[in-house]
Amino acid sequence: MWFLIPGAVIYLVLFIFPTIASLFFSLTRWTLFDAQFIGLDNYTQFFSERFLVQGLYNTVFYAFFTSGTKVVLGMLLALWLTGRVFGQGYLRAVIFFPVLVSTIGVGITFKVLMDPFDGLINGSLTVFGVEGPLWLADPDTALLSIALVDLWKGVGIATVIYIAGLSAIPQEYNEAATVDGASGFRRFKEITFPLLMPATSTVIILSLIGGLRSFDLIWAMTKGGPGFASDVMASMIFKQYQAGFYGLSTAGNVVLFVLVAVIIYPLSRYLNKKTVEL
Amino acid sequence: MRAQRILKVVSGVVGIVVTFGLFVVPFIFIALTAVKSRAEAGLLEFSLPREGYFFMENLTQVIEAREFMLVRAFWNSTVLTAASVALMVIAGAMIAFVLQRRKSRWTGLINALVLAGLIIPPAVVPTIWVMQGLGLFKTLHGLIFIEVAFGIAFCILLFRAFIATIPRELDEAAVIDGAGPIRLFFQVIFPLLRSVIFTVVILQSIFVFNDFQNPLYFLPGDQNATVQLTLFNFQSQFLTAFNLLFMNILIITIPMLVLFLFFNKRIVEGMTAGAVKG
């Protein structure tokens, strides 16, 4: 049993204990040295500040948008890339590589590429006669722009998970269906899609957890701006921490924790039930 | 059949062109901007440098900036990555071994805690509070423990799945030959884990090296900056020197590219295995 000790000590002291302590400190006005119990005031304040509620909404939007697009695009790319396409190896590699690159580096690069006036993206759009959006500078498109970069960076992992899922499906199923005269679409709907459920469930859960917690990319690109237009829970937790509102910051942490639990737990149970065994 | 073959080549070629625009051009942009003169880089154009190549000049300037801050940052990041990954691999494998081989009434609880580690967003300020109490806040070894605490759950999951495939008879034979638990683990089990350890080391090294949020919270201050923090700080400092900023991005991207070229298969396999088991 003492084999558990080195890992367990670090894990319990630096992860589990702070998590439990956060429940208490979120109910206090806290200076790190002194905590004064104020009941649910932090939470009341949290839900009465308009920009904080906006951040909560942004977090959910960001997570579901990135997760949904990664599922659809990841699945399509995987179907395409397992069909013995010309240049398959190169295509897989180039789509996957951004997963490994520093999020901060990607954020800074796209901030420059998305420059409304001098940026390469709008420059290219002008060539096609399209007037590009203002991207990060416009409160209405800032969060969406970051979500698109997140998709760019993360679709590779969804794709490789789907490729692994596809290669686990026995060839015979599709061959038998073809012999029975099933069309390509029908085969996808009745065989491939249901048997890909474990992969789908993995991609959804992983990208939702990542999306709900995401911080690095948003912080590198807008710091939550313009105004609070692209603020999410993680960036607000950091801002409240920087401002010295430790209790409020911790309450934000608890809200995020509850949000993740409320979304992920029922969803993963539901998806597990949907999963059919091969 | 012929038509299908042609379709695959055509879609492959179209795919190569599209992915080139979407995924390769941003990296070419990074490389081109990194070797331009300051004035030319400021135009944010996607073009070959007209005023000549300034590779060495820009490289030296970035390295020498803020009294060799980048060099220190690389040193810090290397120490952080090497130490935390080594620690989480050994401690993680030990826990996985116990979880897999010695079922007890605690196993369920420990499994739940491990799963929690993959899902729950860490409570930031309480963690800082605990670290301050232990004298770990703003120290490199403190951050090492943090990375271990947040990364170990993933290691345990991968190791446990792999240990399940090692026949129990091997343990029994070793025990009959008189090996105690320590020798059994370090001389029999651990060497057998070589391939999965390799995968975990590569994956976690990428995660830790690219980590931005944890150093930002738990190791503030210029003296201690890690590579990602340095990059983020340079963003405001090099506001008028995009050539240096992108040279910096280039420097931290190249190690990942090299890693990817050598271990492409391993990285992809590890990520899918880890994702599916999680």
Side-chain angles (χ1 to χ4, degrees):
Chain A
M1 273 314 255
W2 64 265
F3 263 50
L4 297 175
I5 290 170
V9 168
I10 296 175
Y11 190 65
L12 292 174
V13 171
L14 290 178
F15 180 67
I16 299 293
F17 176 64
T19 303
I20 296 168
S22 70
L23 297 176
F24 168 72
F25 285 118
S26 69
L27 303 173
T28 64
R29 186 173 293 122
W30 187 24
T31 61
L32 281 183
F33 303 103
D34 173 44
Q36 183 195 350
F37 191 81
I38 53 168
L40 292 172
D41 277 12
N42 285 327
Y43 292 98
T44 335
Q45 193 186 347
F46 200 96
F47 287 108
S48 59
E49 296 267 12
R50 212 172 53 81
F51 67 93
L52 292 177
V53 179
Q54 172 73 29
L56 196 63
Y57 169 78
N58 284 349
T59 310
V60 175
F61 168 80
Y62 186 89
F64 278 91
F65 178 84
T66 50
S67 178
T69 46
K70 279 175 196 172
V71 167
V72 175
L73 274 177
M75 193 188 289
L76 290 176
L77 285 170
L79 284 167
W80 178 52
L81 289 174
T82 44
R84 297 218 198 87
V85 163
F86 176 76
Q88 199 177 31
Y90 159 82
L91 288 168
R92 284 189 192 187
V94 91
I95 291 170
F96 183 75
F97 181 62
V99 172
L100 307 180
V101 179
S102 146
T103 311
I104 302 301
V106 168
I108 295 173
T109 306
F110 271 90
K111 205 168 136 186
V112 170
L113 293 175
M114 283 178 163
D115 188 290
F117 308 109
D118 302 326
L120 179 61
I121 295 179
N122 277 4
S124 317
L125 289 175
T126 317
V127 174
F128 296 105
V130 182
E131 195 181 331
L134 294 176
W135 302 110
L136 302 170
D138 181 348
D140 291 333
T141 54
L143 190 66
L144 188 66
S145 309
I146 304 172
L148 288 175
V149 179
D150 192 313
L151 177 65
W152 179 88
K153 183 166 161 40
V155 75
I157 185 90
T159 308
V160 298
I161 291 172
Y162 271 120
I163 289 176
L166 279 171
S167 51
I169 298 176
Q171 286 279 313
E172 292 82 27
Y173 292 11
N174 269 308
E175 283 161 13
T178 316
V179 171
D180 290 346
S183 67
F185 178 72
R186 184 98 196 278
R187 266 179 289 151
F188 173 76
K189 190 175 151 245
E190 306 286 344
I191 299 171
T192 313
F193 187 75
L195 289 178
L196 270 182
M197 214 45 208
T200 304
S201 143
T202 306
V203 173
I204 292 178
I205 296 293
L206 264 187
S207 54
L208 268 184
I209 295 177
L212 289 167
R213 290 165 64 159
S214 65
F215 173 78
D216 296 8
L217 193 62
I218 292 169
W219 201 248
M221 292 184 77
T222 62
K223 291 194 176 180
F228 303 101
S230 59
D231 251 328
V232 293
M233 290 302 298
S235 67
M236 293 187 309
I237 291 168
F238 185 70
K239 282 180 182 172
Q240 302 303 333
Y241 160 70
Q242 266 187 325
F245 299 128
Y246 298 134
L248 192 59
S249 170
T250 307
N253 237 314
V254 175
V255 173
L256 177 59
F257 164 52
V258 172
L259 186 70
V260 172
V262 163
I263 293 176
I264 299 299
Y265 184 69
L267 192 66
S268 66
R269 290 197 60 146
Y270 171 77
L271 290 171
N272 270 335
K273 248 191 272 170
K274 282 281 214 176
T275 299
V276 282
E277 289 294 324
L278 275 176
Chain B
M1 278 327 259
R2 225 186 115 76
Q4 239 184 2
R5 188 71 221 137
I6 293 171
L7 183 73
K8 273 172 184 166
V9 173
V10 171
S11 81
V13 172
V14 171
I16 289 172
V17 173
V18 172
T19 52
F20 183 82
L22 284 176
F23 290 98
V24 183
V25 165
F27 291 106
I28 298 178
F29 179 80
I30 294 173
L32 287 176
T33 311
V35 297
K36 284 179 180 173
S37 73
R38 175 180 289 227
E40 208 188 339
L43 300 174
L44 310 180
E45 278 172 355
F46 182 72
S47 61
L48 289 173
R50 280 184 303 267
E51 299 176 9
Y53 292 80
F54 293 86
F55 179 77
M56 279 321 284
E57 291 90 332
N58 291 347
L59 185 65
T60 5
Q61 272 195 57
V62 167
I63 290 175
E64 285 173 355
R66 309 261 290 271
E67 295 156 19
F68 293 93
M69 185 151 141
L70 192 62
V71 179
R72 262 181 294 143
F74 256 99
W75 172 247
N76 285 337
S77 279
T78 309
V79 172
L80 172 70
T81 307
S84 62
V85 171
L87 212 64
M88 71 177 113
V89 162
I90 295 172
M94 286 164 77
I95 292 179
F97 174 66
V98 174
L99 281 183
Q100 174 58 37
R101 287 295 151 92
R102 308 263 189 284
K103 298 272 188 279
S104 73
R105 60 207 168 90
W106 298 101
T107 310
L109 174 71
I110 300 172
N111 280 334
L113 285 177
V114 171
L115 226 52
L118 294 174
I119 297 170
I120 298 177
V124 180
V125 192
T127 310
I128 292 176
W129 173 69
V130 170
M131 290 175 82
Q132 261 182 350
L134 298 170
L136 291 174
F137 187 51
K138 292 191 186 182
T139 65
L140 191 57
H141 53 277
L143 186 59
I144 290 171
F145 289 131
I146 286 285
E147 297 288 0
V148 173
F150 297 168
I152 198 169
F154 180 80
C155 299
I156 294 174
L157 230 57
L158 275 184
F159 285 137
R160 198 181 51 188
F162 193 87
I163 293 176
T165 65
I166 300 176
R168 235 168 233 279
E169 288 76 26
L170 213 63
D171 301 28
E172 283 155 15
V175 172
I176 291 169
D177 287 346
I182 299 176
R183 280 196 54 190
L184 168 64
F185 178 74
F186 283 101
Q187 295 200 336
V188 179
I189 302 292
F190 204 70
L192 287 173
L193 294 177
R194 207 180 313 135
S195 78
V196 66
I197 286 173
F198 185 74
T199 309
V200 172
V201 166
I202 291 186
L203 289 186
Q204 295 286 20
S205 302
I206 294 169
F207 288 144
V208 175
F209 189 82
N210 280 339
D211 186 15
F212 171 68
Q213 195 172 7
N214 293 320
L216 180 70
Y217 273 122
F218 305 117
L219 194 64
D222 273 0
Q223 194 55 42
N224 295 319
T226 62
V227 171
Q228 307 298 328
L229 270 182
T230 312
L231 179 59
F232 185 77
N233 293 337
F234 278 175
Q235 196 187 356
S236 44
Q237 201 200 347
F238 288 162
L239 211 54
T240 51
F242 281 105
N243 52 346
L244 301 187
L245 188 60
F246 280 88
M247 176 56 83
N248 198 342
I249 297 177
L250 188 67
I251 293 173
I252 64 164
T253 307
I254 285 174
M256 293 300 146
L257 187 62
V258 172
L259 216 58
F260 184 61
L261 290 178
F262 280 102
F263 303 121
N264 179 355
K265 271 236 163 65
R266 269 298 175 68
I267 295 172
V268 170
E269 269 167 25
M271 284 211 173
T272 31
V276 173
K277 264 138 210 156

mmCIF file of all heavy atoms in Angstrom, chain A residues 166-187:
data_model
loop_
_atom_site.group_PDB
_atom_site.id
_atom_site.type_symbol
_atom_site.label_atom_id
_atom_site.label_comp_id
_atom_site.label_asym_id
_atom_site.label_seq_id
_atom_site.Cartn_x
_atom_site.Cartn_y
_atom_site.Cartn_z
ATOM 1 N N LEU A 166 -12.643 4.342 -36.362
ATOM 2 C CA LEU A 166 -13.031 3.766 -37.651
ATOM 3 C C LEU A 166 -12.266 2.484 -37.944
ATOM 4 O O LEU A 166 -12.819 1.507 -38.455
ATOM 5 C CB LEU A 166 -12.776 4.768 -38.778
ATOM 6 C CG LEU A 166 -13.832 5.851 -38.978
ATOM 7 C CD1 LEU A 166 -13.339 6.887 -39.975
ATOM 8 C CD2 LEU A 166 -15.133 5.228 -39.460
ATOM 9 N N SER A 167 -10.973 2.482 -37.595
ATOM 10 C CA SER A 167 -10.181 1.297 -37.932
ATOM 11 C C SER A 167 -10.538 0.132 -37.014
ATOM 12 O O SER A 167 -10.150 -1.004 -37.287
ATOM 13 C CB SER A 167 -8.684 1.614 -37.882
ATOM 14 O OG SER A 167 -8.369 2.229 -36.662
ATOM 15 N N ALA A 168 -11.296 0.390 -35.942
ATOM 16 C CA ALA A 168 -11.719 -0.708 -35.063
ATOM 17 C C ALA A 168 -12.996 -1.382 -35.569
ATOM 18 O O ALA A 168 -13.402 -2.414 -35.049
ATOM 19 C CB ALA A 168 -11.927 -0.187 -33.646
ATOM 20 N N ILE A 169 -13.646 -0.778 -36.579
ATOM 21 C CA ILE A 169 -14.881 -1.373 -37.104
ATOM 22 C C ILE A 169 -14.527 -2.457 -38.110
ATOM 23 O O ILE A 169 -13.826 -2.184 -39.084
ATOM 24 C CB ILE A 169 -15.760 -0.298 -37.781
ATOM 25 C CG1 ILE A 169 -16.174 0.761 -36.754
ATOM 26 C CG2 ILE A 169 -16.991 -0.933 -38.414
ATOM 27 C CD1 ILE A 169 -16.966 1.897 -37.354
ATOM 28 N N PRO A 170 -14.984 -3.701 -37.882
ATOM 29 C CA PRO A 170 -14.627 -4.781 -38.808
ATOM 30 C C PRO A 170 -15.146 -4.506 -40.221
ATOM 31 O O PRO A 170 -16.284 -4.084 -40.397
ATOM 32 C CB PRO A 170 -15.336 -6.001 -38.208
ATOM 33 C CG PRO A 170 -15.619 -5.650 -36.797
ATOM 34 C CD PRO A 170 -15.794 -4.175 -36.768
ATOM 35 N N GLN A 171 -14.288 -4.746 -41.199
ATOM 36 C CA GLN A 171 -14.627 -4.539 -42.617
ATOM 37 C C GLN A 171 -15.887 -5.303 -43.038
ATOM 38 O O GLN A 171 -16.671 -4.833 -43.842
ATOM 39 C CB GLN A 171 -13.461 -5.037 -43.481
ATOM 40 C CG GLN A 171 -12.262 -4.129 -43.472
ATOM 41 C CD GLN A 171 -12.430 -2.973 -44.424
ATOM 42 O OE1 GLN A 171 -12.832 -3.175 -45.558
ATOM 43 N NE2 GLN A 171 -12.166 -1.763 -43.956
ATOM 44 N N GLU A 172 -16.056 -6.508 -42.442
ATOM 45 C CA GLU A 172 -17.123 -7.412 -42.900
ATOM 46 C C GLU A 172 -18.502 -6.749 -42.834
ATOM 47 O O GLU A 172 -19.349 -7.002 -43.681
ATOM 48 C CB GLU A 172 -17.155 -8.704 -42.061
ATOM 49 C CG GLU A 172 -15.946 -9.607 -42.246
ATOM 50 C CD GLU A 172 -14.763 -9.149 -41.407
ATOM 51 O OE1 GLU A 172 -14.996 -8.512 -40.350
ATOM 52 O OE2 GLU A 172 -13.615 -9.400 -41.808
ATOM 53 N N TYR A 173 -18.713 -5.926 -41.812
ATOM 54 C CA TYR A 173 -20.030 -5.312 -41.641
ATOM 55 C C TYR A 173 -20.422 -4.520 -42.879
ATOM 56 O O TYR A 173 -21.506 -4.651 -43.424
ATOM 57 C CB TYR A 173 -20.053 -4.394 -40.423
ATOM 58 C CG TYR A 173 -19.925 -5.103 -39.101
ATOM 59 C CD1 TYR A 173 -19.581 -6.451 -39.033
ATOM 60 C CD2 TYR A 173 -20.143 -4.428 -37.912
ATOM 61 C CE1 TYR A 173 -19.460 -7.099 -37.825
ATOM 62 C CE2 TYR A 173 -20.027 -5.061 -36.693
ATOM 63 C CZ TYR A 173 -19.679 -6.391 -36.657
ATOM 64 O OH TYR A 173 -19.558 -7.016 -35.450
ATOM 65 N N ASN A 174 -19.472 -3.668 -43.298
ATOM 66 C CA ASN A 174 -19.760 -2.830 -44.455
ATOM 67 C C ASN A 174 -19.879 -3.656 -45.731
ATOM 68 O O ASN A 174 -20.725 -3.394 -46.565
ATOM 69 C CB ASN A 174 -18.667 -1.767 -44.621
ATOM 70 C CG ASN A 174 -19.029 -0.491 -43.885
ATOM 71 O OD1 ASN A 174 -20.118 0.040 -44.082
ATOM 72 N ND2 ASN A 174 -18.145 -0.019 -43.033
ATOM 73 N N GLU A 175 -19.012 -4.687 -45.827
ATOM 74 C CA GLU A 175 -19.062 -5.533 -47.021
ATOM 75 C C GLU A 175 -20.405 -6.245 -47.105
ATOM 76 O O GLU A 175 -21.047 -6.275 -48.159
ATOM 77 C CB GLU A 175 -17.919 -6.552 -46.998
ATOM 78 C CG GLU A 175 -16.587 -5.920 -47.382
ATOM 79 C CD GLU A 175 -15.392 -6.742 -46.932
ATOM 80 O OE1 GLU A 175 -15.581 -7.916 -46.532
ATOM 81 O OE2 GLU A 175 -14.276 -6.201 -46.966
ATOM 82 N N ALA A 176 -20.853 -6.803 -45.985
ATOM 83 C CA ALA A 176 -22.131 -7.505 -45.970
ATOM 84 C C ALA A 176 -23.265 -6.572 -46.369
ATOM 85 O O ALA A 176 -24.140 -6.917 -47.164
ATOM 86 C CB ALA A 176 -22.396 -8.084 -44.580
ATOM 87 N N ALA A 177 -23.224 -5.343 -45.830
ATOM 88 C CA ALA A 177 -24.279 -4.381 -46.140
ATOM 89 C C ALA A 177 -24.250 -4.020 -47.621
ATOM 90 O O ALA A 177 -25.297 -3.849 -48.251
ATOM 91 C CB ALA A 177 -24.127 -3.144 -45.279
ATOM 92 N N THR A 178 -23.032 -3.901 -48.170
ATOM 93 C CA THR A 178 -22.936 -3.587 -49.594
ATOM 94 C C THR A 178 -23.555 -4.698 -50.431
ATOM 95 O O THR A 178 -24.289 -4.439 -51.386
ATOM 96 C CB THR A 178 -21.454 -3.408 -50.006
ATOM 97 O OG1 THR A 178 -20.811 -2.621 -49.004
ATOM 98 C CG2 THR A 178 -21.343 -2.729 -51.346
ATOM 99 N N VAL A 179 -23.258 -5.943 -50.055
ATOM 100 C CA VAL A 179 -23.825 -7.082 -50.776
ATOM 101 C C VAL A 179 -25.355 -7.026 -50.716
ATOM 102 O O VAL A 179 -26.053 -7.286 -51.696
ATOM 103 C CB VAL A 179 -23.303 -8.417 -50.187
ATOM 104 C CG1 VAL A 179 -24.057 -9.606 -50.781
ATOM 105 C CG2 VAL A 179 -21.814 -8.544 -50.422
ATOM 106 N N ASP A 180 -25.873 -6.628 -49.539
ATOM 107 C CA ASP A 180 -27.333 -6.518 -49.398
ATOM 108 C C ASP A 180 -27.902 -5.303 -50.107
ATOM 109 O O ASP A 180 -29.114 -5.068 -50.051
ATOM 110 C CB ASP A 180 -27.710 -6.465 -47.916
ATOM 111 C CG ASP A 180 -27.485 -7.810 -47.247
ATOM 112 O OD1 ASP A 180 -27.305 -8.793 -47.987
ATOM 113 O OD2 ASP A 180 -27.467 -7.873 -46.005
ATOM 114 N N GLY A 181 -27.038 -4.518 -50.710
ATOM 115 C CA GLY A 181 -27.525 -3.412 -51.523
ATOM 116 C C GLY A 181 -27.731 -2.109 -50.781
ATOM 117 O O GLY A 181 -28.459 -1.241 -51.261
ATOM 118 N N ALA A 182 -27.083 -1.946 -49.601
ATOM 119 C CA ALA A 182 -27.251 -0.688 -48.867
ATOM 120 C C ALA A 182 -26.414 0.407 -49.519
ATOM 121 O O ALA A 182 -25.287 0.172 -49.945
ATOM 122 C CB ALA A 182 -26.833 -0.875 -47.417
ATOM 123 N N SER A 183 -26.971 1.595 -49.591
ATOM 124 C CA SER A 183 -26.255 2.724 -50.182
ATOM 125 C C SER A 183 -25.180 3.211 -49.215
ATOM 126 O O SER A 183 -25.160 2.834 -48.046
ATOM 127 C CB SER A 183 -27.230 3.858 -50.466
ATOM 128 O OG SER A 183 -27.717 4.367 -49.248
ATOM 129 N N GLY A 184 -24.288 4.053 -49.729
ATOM 130 C CA GLY A 184 -23.221 4.585 -48.892
ATOM 131 C C GLY A 184 -23.766 5.318 -47.686
ATOM 132 O O GLY A 184 -23.306 5.118 -46.559
ATOM 133 N N PHE A 185 -24.785 6.140 -47.894
ATOM 134 C CA PHE A 185 -25.350 6.911 -46.785
ATOM 135 C C PHE A 185 -25.992 5.990 -45.755
ATOM 136 O O PHE A 185 -25.834 6.148 -44.557
ATOM 137 C CB PHE A 185 -26.380 7.909 -47.313
ATOM 138 C CG PHE A 185 -27.041 8.694 -46.213
ATOM 139 C CD1 PHE A 185 -26.334 9.673 -45.522
ATOM 140 C CD2 PHE A 185 -28.355 8.427 -45.845
ATOM 141 C CE1 PHE A 185 -26.932 10.372 -44.499
ATOM 142 C CE2 PHE A 185 -28.951 9.126 -44.820
ATOM 143 C CZ PHE A 185 -28.244 10.098 -44.150
ATOM 144 N N ARG A 186 -26.718 5.007 -46.267
ATOM 145 C CA ARG A 186 -27.410 4.053 -45.398
ATOM 146 C C ARG A 186 -26.380 3.289 -44.552
ATOM 147 O O ARG A 186 -26.576 3.089 -43.346
ATOM 148 C CB ARG A 186 -28.190 3.101 -46.305
ATOM 149 C CG ARG A 186 -29.052 2.094 -45.630
ATOM 150 C CD ARG A 186 -30.506 2.508 -45.557
ATOM 151 N NE ARG A 186 -31.171 1.672 -44.560
ATOM 152 C CZ ARG A 186 -31.615 0.445 -44.816
ATOM 153 N NH1 ARG A 186 -31.539 -0.048 -46.046
ATOM 154 N NH2 ARG A 186 -32.160 -0.275 -43.863
ATOM 155 N N ARG A 187 -25.283 2.886 -45.190
ATOM 156 C CA ARG A 187 -24.245 2.158 -44.452
ATOM 157 C C ARG A 187 -23.671 3.039 -43.338
ATOM 158 O O ARG A 187 -23.439 2.588 -42.235
ATOM 159 C CB ARG A 187 -23.114 1.738 -45.401
ATOM 160 C CG ARG A 187 -23.302 0.335 -45.951
ATOM 161 C CD ARG A 187 -22.189 -0.004 -46.892
ATOM 162 N NE ARG A 187 -22.315 0.756 -48.127
ATOM 163 C CZ ARG A 187 -21.296 1.114 -48.887
ATOM 164 N NH1 ARG A 187 -20.068 0.814 -48.549
ATOM 165 N NH2 ARG A 187 -21.495 1.785 -49.989
#
